[in-house]
């Protein structure tokens, strides 16, 4: 069985950092989520970059619907696998 990775797409770095801090409290995520800047295709301006929050879920215990609702609180969404 392969590990599950959830990717939350967030509008900016502040939202991603705030969400990363809240993930451990809300979902009991043991491993620090990975923040990744995702520049939109053809855009050089950092203001147009989305941020991805990559959450490893080796035990498959995180609920996708709950993660999507959580991301929505930060004006983001859960990327479909």
């Amino acid at each position: 069985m392969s590990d599950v990775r959830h990717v939350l797409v967030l509008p900016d770095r502040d939202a991603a950092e705030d969400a990363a801090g809240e993930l451990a409290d809300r979902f009991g995520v043991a491993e620090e989520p990975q923040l990744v800047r995702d520049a939109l295709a053809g855009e050089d301006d950092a203001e147009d970059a989305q941020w991805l929050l990559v959450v490893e879920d080796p035990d498959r215990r995180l609920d996708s619907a709950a993660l999507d609702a959580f991301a929505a609180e930060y004006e983001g969404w859960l990327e479909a696998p």
Side-chain angles (χ1 to χ4, degrees):
M1 182 186 316
S2 63
D3 288 352
V4 173
R5 175 178 291 149
H6 302 281
V7 178
L8 284 67
V9 181
L10 299 158
D12 56 44
R13 184 180 187 133
D14 288 343
E17 289 177 344
D18 291 348
E22 181 68 20
L23 263 172
D25 295 339
R26 181 115 33 120
F27 294 97
V29 174
E31 192 173 322
E32 183 76 21
Q34 180 182 357
L35 289 172
V36 180
R37 181 177 175 271
D38 182 36
L40 300 175
E43 296 292 340
D44 293 328
D45 187 354
E47 296 302 314
D48 290 326
Q50 295 174 325
W51 283 77
L52 306 180
L53 190 57
V54 181
V55 183
E56 301 294 337
D57 186 17
D59 300 327
R60 296 176 180 258
R61 59 182 195 79
L62 298 175
D63 179 65
S64 294
L67 285 172
D68 190 45
F70 173 76
E73 293 174 27
Y74 294 91
E75 298 180 7
W77 64 89
L78 177 66
E79 190 70 23

